[in-house]
Every structure is written in C-alpha cells, then in structure tokens.
Amino acid sequence: MQYNPGWNGSSVNLLHVQAVGPGDSLHYVWSSIGAPTVLLVATQSPSSALRVNWTQLLSASPAGAIWIDPPDSVVYSTAVVFTKLFEFSEAKPLGELFYPTYNLSEFSWDSLNHTLNHTALTAELRGAPATDPSGGFSNGSLAFRVTAYEAGGREERLPSLLHTADSSQLEFVLAGVAPRGNSSRFLLEVATVEEAGAERRLRSERSIDDEYTPTIFEVLSLVAQPQNGSSTLGFLQWKATAYGSRSPRREDGIQCRAQGLQAANWSLPVSSVVQAYFGDSLGSTCTISALNVSFGGEEGEVYQEKRYLSWSVLLGFGEPPRDTFSPLVISITAVALGTPLAMLLLGSCLVLLAQRRRYSEYEPIN
C-alpha cells in the first residue's frame, strides 16, 4: 500500500494498493482528486508499476498523467466513480420530494494518510461538503472505508461478504448527517467506466441460505463482460442490505435497492484519476454506465433514529465469489431430511415383518 507515491504533500489523496502474483499483478488506485474514484488495472507482469506525473495530474489537463509501466502488460482496466448523494422523502400526497444534491466532487476530504493501516491493510477517506448551506454535515461526515486482502476469507462483521485475495472491500458510511426531511431516504449514484469491448451487466441471485447474513436472501453483482463473450472481467458485489449501527446486528438492517443500470449519456464530473488514465478515450470509445443504490424502508425511519448508515460492497477481478452451504448447514439438512426417510424405511420393514409372522402360523392347503 502506497500513499501518494512520488509526492510528499498530503493536500490530495491517492492510495495505490498492489497485489503481486507469480505471473501477474493487480492494481487498485483509490483517490479523492475530483469525485471519489477507484481505478482497477490487471496486468500480466508481476513487476508492473504505477507511474504518476503529479504536475500534470494536478493541472487542468490531466490526461496521460497516470499509466502502468510497461504499458503492454495491461490486460484489463476499469474505474468506479462515486458521483452524487441524493436525499429525498416520499411526502404524501405530493410524492417524492428531492432536496438539493450532494455532489461528491465538491466535497472537502481529510488526509487519508491519518487512517492508513499497513498491518490491517485498511484506510478511510472521510469528507464533507465544502459549502453546506443547510448545515446537514455540521456534526456528520461521509466516508469510504477501504480494506485489501492477502488471502481468501469472510468478513466477521455483517453482511459478512466472502472475499478472495483478488478483491477489496469498500464500506460506504454516512454518520451523523442531519436529514432534511421527516422521512428522508438516501440514494448513492455509482458510475462505471469500461474500455471498448466490455460492458457492465447487473445480476441478481437468490438463495435459501441466509446463514451468514440473516434474513437476506439476495446477492447483487455488477459484472463487466466482453461484448462477444461470457467470461467475467471484473465485478462489484453486495448483499441487498445496509445497516444502521457501528456494530451491525440483524435488527439494524436497512433496506437496500438497486434501481437499474443505465447507459450514462452525461459526462462524468471532474475526476482527475479517470481522466488521467483513460485520457481522450474517456469521451469516445469508453462506455459509461450509472447505477443508483437507495437506502431506507418505505418510511425511512431507521436512519432518522440512529443517524448512521453503512453499506458494504466487494470489488475485484474475475468471477465474484459465490456462497456455498457450510458443513453445519449440510449436516442439519441431512438430519432433517434423513430422519423422516429412515423412520419411513424402518416402519415399512416392521410392517412387512409383521405380515410375514402373521401368515406363517398357517399350513398351506394341498
């Protein structure tokens, strides 16, 4: 993990996380320069390196300021940009009432270096609007918590996402922000950037197993696939829930909905990292898609009471991890289904044995 590689200042945030394998390497570049962004690059060289021209990156024309060396080692690259936070209330009988939008590219962000933990492989990017006329952020903040992994496993805290060494977890946290309505709900806009030949698709999978995330049976994945193939290049994965507590429990669940993936015909907000890496192709050959994720029940009262919201999403390369039944669940299922079957077989044997004994008392008639 490197903070602002090649730059001594802390007025801007750029975190480079690299995972090196025997024949390849993966790069995650997190930044708050412009809108909060993560750039994901997979290479076929274990010695590939991130290069940053800081003078150009912080200029008005950042195109070409970020690249991977050697350039021909790159096999796949994409970006995820967190663009806006909407707040609305379903006021009756007027319908949905939207308040002024929080544009994340206009936020002021704390130095990420203060929260960087090289042992736990974690960091936190925390910010608030540069101008806040409503005062909603006077005692609150918005944060993105990043966790990298050295091996596969499962997070202990709900929603207990299953991860691999090729993935990282991002936790979106809204804490102490005063809602502007009596039944406010929040909606986060997420944009993705794909190079020519790849496109994003939203998948929903349901399972009867809620062992690791009680009462939640749906997992959503925003996968990147080649336009002429079925293999998966990268993904965002999350469970259909958020939580309203710093130590989440089942009863702290907040409804989470994805409102459909759409092709974005608007330009991205100022996001220097995306422009610095993709350059001129950002407005020509790249495909930009947008997804809205909303939080809150029908009345939106969970956040009103606790003033806390956390949503976890996994980002990575290749196929997203899939949960399977644990040995405990398999054992319980086997006992639950096997016991009635064993009793049925035993009963049938007893009936047959009883019938044989009953008729064996008589001699056959010649």
Side-chain angles (χ1 to χ4, degrees), residues 38-80:
V38 55
L39 174 67
L40 299 90
V41 183
T43 73
Q44 57 186 1
S45 170
S47 59
S48 61
L50 176 72
R51 305 300 185 193
V52 181
N53 183 330
W54 283 96
T55 303
Q56 187 175 354
L57 177 62
L58 301 178
S59 69
S61 302
I66 294 178
W67 71 96
I68 298 294
D69 190 22
D72 58 0
S73 67
V74 176
V75 293
Y76 173 65
S77 56
T78 183
V80 180

Side-chain angles (χ1 to χ4, degrees), residues 70-300:
D72 58 0
S73 67
V74 176
V75 293
Y76 173 65
S77 56
T78 183
V80 180
V81 187
F82 300 92
T83 53
K84 298 176 182 178
L85 179 69
F86 298 95
E87 181 184 350
F88 66 97
S89 63
E90 295 182 334
K92 298 178 180 179
L94 301 177
E96 293 182 350
L97 172 63
F98 277 83
Y99 297 97
T101 304
Y102 293 117
N103 193 331
L104 301 188
S105 64
E106 299 175 355
F107 270 45
S108 176
W109 301 94
D110 296 341
S111 174
L112 187 147
N113 194 35
H114 299 322
T115 61
L116 186 58
N117 188 323
H118 289 273
T119 303
L121 300 179
T122 59
E124 180 174 318
L125 187 65
R126 184 185 297 112
T131 57
D132 186 20
S134 65
F137 278 80
S138 57
N139 295 314
S141 64
L142 181 151
F144 293 96
R145 294 175 181 168
V146 179
T147 303
Y149 300 106
E150 291 183 319
R154 186 183 298 277
E155 274 291 320
E156 296 182 359
R157 298 174 69 251
L158 290 176
S160 304
L161 293 176
L162 181 67
H163 63 260
T164 67
D166 297 342
S167 60
S168 295
Q169 179 173 291
L170 178 71
E171 184 181 3
F172 166 72
V173 178
L174 200 63
V177 178
R180 290 172 285 185
N182 294 328
S183 300
S184 284
R185 296 171 61 183
F186 291 95
L187 185 150
L188 180 65
E189 183 181 74
V190 183
T192 62
V193 180
E194 293 293 332
E195 291 185 308
E199 60 182 357
R200 288 277 177 173
R201 296 177 182 175
L202 182 63
R203 296 195 313 214
S204 174
E205 296 182 4
R206 294 183 179 272
S207 171
I208 62 172
D209 184 17
D210 68 339
E211 176 184 5
Y212 300 105
T213 312
T215 72
I216 304 302
F217 302 94
E218 183 181 14
V219 178
L220 295 105
S221 301
L222 187 60
V223 298
Q225 295 178 326
Q227 294 177 349
N228 298 322
S230 58
S231 61
T232 301
L233 302 172
F235 66 88
L236 278 76
Q237 184 186 63
W238 66 95
K239 294 193 176 183
T241 185
Y243 291 94
S245 172
R246 298 181 187 275
S247 301
R249 299 168 297 174
R250 179 182 61 83
E251 54 267 28
D252 298 320
I254 298 176
Q255 191 176 46
C256 172
R257 292 178 178 175
Q259 299 188 356
L261 181 67
Q262 296 181 353
N265 55 6
W266 38 261
S267 60
L268 285 174
V270 177
S271 179
S272 296
V273 172
V274 173
Q275 295 171 346
Y277 181 81
F278 291 100
D280 296 334
S281 64
L282 185 62
S284 56
T285 59
C286 289
T287 301
I288 303 175
S289 304
L291 175 76
N292 291 333
V293 182
S294 64
F295 311 100
E298 296 299 326
E299 302 298 331

